[in-house]
Amino acid sequence: MELVVQFQVLNQSCQCLAWKPHPNVAWEAKSQHVVAGYSDGTTRVFSISRTEMELKMHPHATALTAIAYSTDGEMILSGCSDGLVAVSSPRTGMTIRILADHKGSPISVLQCIRKQYHDFGVEGGELWLATSLDRRVSVWASDWLKDKCELLDWLSFPAPASPKGLGSLPPSLAAFCPWEHGTLVYVGFGMQKEALFYSLRKKQVVEKIALPYFATSLSLSPAARFMAVGFSERLFRLQCCPAAPPQDYGGHDDAVQLCRFAPAGRRLLTASHSAVLLWELLSA
């Protein structure tokens, strides 16, 4: 529990970051990298082992709000506050594609997963999704080496008029489901307080799980059928899927803005305004 390395960028706030994936390479490998997105529209790639910034790119004109590596680590996907999604190469520093489908609403989530070529009848070795704060989710199939990027599905979730007294709407969040391939989970402001499981094959919502409040954060365990959902009410819920009696946990000083399962699924990080809590899942 000590600070190992720190990178500092003056006069800019770091809005989002992502670790470079290393398929078939041990975590201790020396080529550990992290990419961070900043309020001036830039992205910076840092080498953890060399403790230095290796690359700076400027793919956006407005603040970044989400960032992710492709599954092979060869591309960086970034989204900004005006809804544009950029695809950039960390090898060349060039932005190779700009997607404007979500233009006008900040990007809240970007996520990439591997897929098989025969899935969904489209070419490409990767699925990725983009979620914007206006409750829209786009799902794409891509093969970046062949410069292919095809829209697979487009979701738009309805919502009532913004209620009085609600200072800001809850975020729109989506994630691919690790234990149900071809399914994504969505939470956000809507007609009901619930988590929706949407099947990309059936093109419909196949399961709904009621929530006590609108969610502020979401994470799905890669190792077990567990979903963690954070709320503004200073607690988070650990939900076993399919629907089973949930467990609610407090201990935060403010809204739970982040839930994140560790890769092995046995630990969970939750974060609020000034506290980061580490939880151990004994039954995972």
Side-chain angles (χ1 to χ4, degrees), residues 139-202:
V139 183
W140 306 77
S142 299
D143 188 334
W144 301 119
L145 294 179
K146 297 181 179 179
D147 195 29
K148 290 185 176 181
C149 184
E150 182 177 347
L151 181 65
L152 185 66
D153 210 336
W154 180 266
L155 315 179
S156 184
F157 295 93
S162 179
K164 295 181 179 179
L166 194 62
S168 60
L169 293 180
S172 302
L173 305 171
F176 290 110
C177 186
W179 59 83
E180 291 288 347
H181 295 300
T183 300
L184 62 84
V185 180
Y186 171 85
V187 295
F189 181 64
M191 307 305 291
Q192 304 292 334
K193 301 178 181 71
E194 57 191 1
L196 303 176
F197 287 70
Y198 178 87
S199 171
L200 294 169
R201 292 186 176 89
K202 297 180 179 180

Side-chain angles (χ1 to χ4, degrees), residues 2-23:
E2 64 178 288
L3 179 64
V4 178
V5 61
Q6 179 175 338
F7 301 101
Q8 194 169 28
V9 176
L10 298 178
N11 303 320
Q12 297 297 331
S13 59
C14 180
Q15 309 283 78
C16 48
L17 56 84
W19 284 95
K20 181 179 181 179
H22 287 287

Side-chain angles (χ1 to χ4, degrees), residues 225-252:
R225 302 173 72 93
F226 280 107
M227 174 175 67
V229 186
F231 305 104
S232 293
E233 287 71 18
R234 305 184 182 185
L235 60 85
F236 80 92
R237 169 165 288 189
L238 189 63
Q239 174 77 57
C240 181
C241 304
Q247 303 174 61
D248 292 336
Y249 299 91
H252 287 278

Side-chain angles (χ1 to χ4, degrees), residues 19-270:
W19 284 95
K20 181 179 181 179
H22 287 287
N24 306 319
V25 178
W27 173 253
E28 292 79 11
K30 294 184 179 180
S31 56
Q32 293 180 19
H33 291 83
V34 64
V35 61
Y38 288 86
S39 53
D40 62 350
T42 61
T43 63
R44 292 170 170 85
V45 177
F46 299 97
S47 169
I48 303 301
S49 56
R50 297 168 58 186
T51 63
E52 66 180 20
M53 185 183 77
E54 292 189 347
L55 178 67
K56 177 184 176 181
M57 299 180 286
H58 203 154
H60 297 280
T62 60
L64 270 79
T65 52
I67 200 163
Y69 271 99
S70 61
T71 55
D72 59 6
E74 294 298 315
M75 294 293 168
I76 294 173
L77 283 71
S78 55
C80 63
S81 58
D82 63 9
L84 297 181
V85 175
V87 182
S88 307
S89 168
R91 290 184 180 272
T92 65
M94 300 294 293
T95 297
I96 63 172
R97 188 181 289 263
I98 295 287
L99 300 170
D101 300 73
H102 290 269
K103 187 175 182 179
S105 182
I107 302 297
S108 52
V109 178
L110 291 169
Q111 185 190 9
C112 304
I113 62 168
R114 291 187 178 276
K115 80 172 193 69
Q116 296 181 351
Y117 280 84
H118 63 269
D119 287 354
F120 312 108
V122 294
E123 291 189 18
E126 179 170 283
L127 280 184
W128 64 275
L129 63 78
T131 308
S132 50
L133 292 183
D134 56 1
R135 303 176 302 282
R136 295 185 296 171
V137 182
S138 59
V139 183
W140 306 77
S142 299
D143 188 334
W144 301 119
L145 294 179
K146 297 181 179 179
D147 195 29
K148 290 185 176 181
C149 184
E150 182 177 347
L151 181 65
L152 185 66
D153 210 336
W154 180 266
L155 315 179
S156 184
F157 295 93
S162 179
K164 295 181 179 179
L166 194 62
S168 60
L169 293 180
S172 302
L173 305 171
F176 290 110
C177 186
W179 59 83
E180 291 288 347
H181 295 300
T183 300
L184 62 84
V185 180
Y186 171 85
V187 295
F189 181 64
M191 307 305 291
Q192 304 292 334
K193 301 178 181 71
E194 57 191 1
L196 303 176
F197 287 70
Y198 178 87
S199 171
L200 294 169
R201 292 186 176 89
K202 297 180 179 180
K203 304 288 186 180
Q204 65 183 34
V205 174
V206 293
E207 184 180 359
K208 299 179 180 181
I209 295 180
L211 300 173
Y213 314 102
F214 288 117
T216 52
S217 51
L218 170 72
S219 184
L220 306 179
S221 170
R225 302 173 72 93
F226 280 107
M227 174 175 67
V229 186
F231 305 104
S232 293
E233 287 71 18
R234 305 184 182 185
L235 60 85
F236 80 92
R237 169 165 288 189
L238 189 63
Q239 174 77 57
C240 181
C241 304
Q247 303 174 61
D248 292 336
Y249 299 91
H252 287 278
D253 59 353
D254 207 330
V256 182
Q257 300 288 357
L258 178 73
C259 297
R260 189 75 78 243
F261 280 99
R266 295 194 60 86
R267 289 187 171 88
L268 174 70
L269 279 170
T270 58

